[in-house]
Amino acid sequence: MKPATGEEGFTLLELIISLALFALISVAGLGLLDSVLNVQGRTEARLSRLADLQRAMFVVQSDLDQIARGEMSGGGNGIAFTRIAGGMGGPPIPVRYGAAQGALVRSAPQPQLLLQGVTETKWRFRDGNAWVDRWPVNEERKSEWPRAVSVEMQLGGVPGPGGTLRRVVVLPAQPRDR
């Protein structure tokens, strides 16, 4: 055995320096973790908003793709038409879209909140080779459909993507009365 020389262990200064380094590394790690969690939260909010936008546009497109005999009217922030019944058939369903209190609302026939954070909507209609702001363009054409429908929405006020969202839906050929 070796005799003790009094130099075993760490000095107080060495312990203080090692604790200070450990504290700096811990603070840096916590900052990095906080940053990652914030990015994850923002990403989840954006993905949720994108899913809401896709769902709303799917419903609008689906309704317009299934338009049924009858009149269509609209302009500004609303549109009304009749679509075929879903599922196994049944009577046609009247459908209305409009913007109310910062949201896109679908009524078919009960009101359904389709998309929040809509500050403005604008429906337009393709008449021949030109876009018009109202449909029908005159009383003689109220039983006709436009060639296509466009909806433009201003988005904002909720977390996630904002800006302008536009969807153009080409309508099916209008059935002729027999």
Side-chain angles (χ1 to χ4, degrees), residues 75-88:
N77 74 346
I79 187 173
F81 57 92
T82 304
R83 66 162 277 174
I84 60 175
M88 300 301 285

Side-chain angles (χ1 to χ4, degrees), residues 1-6 8:
M1 265 189 94
K2 254 181 163 184
T5 60
E8 292 86 19

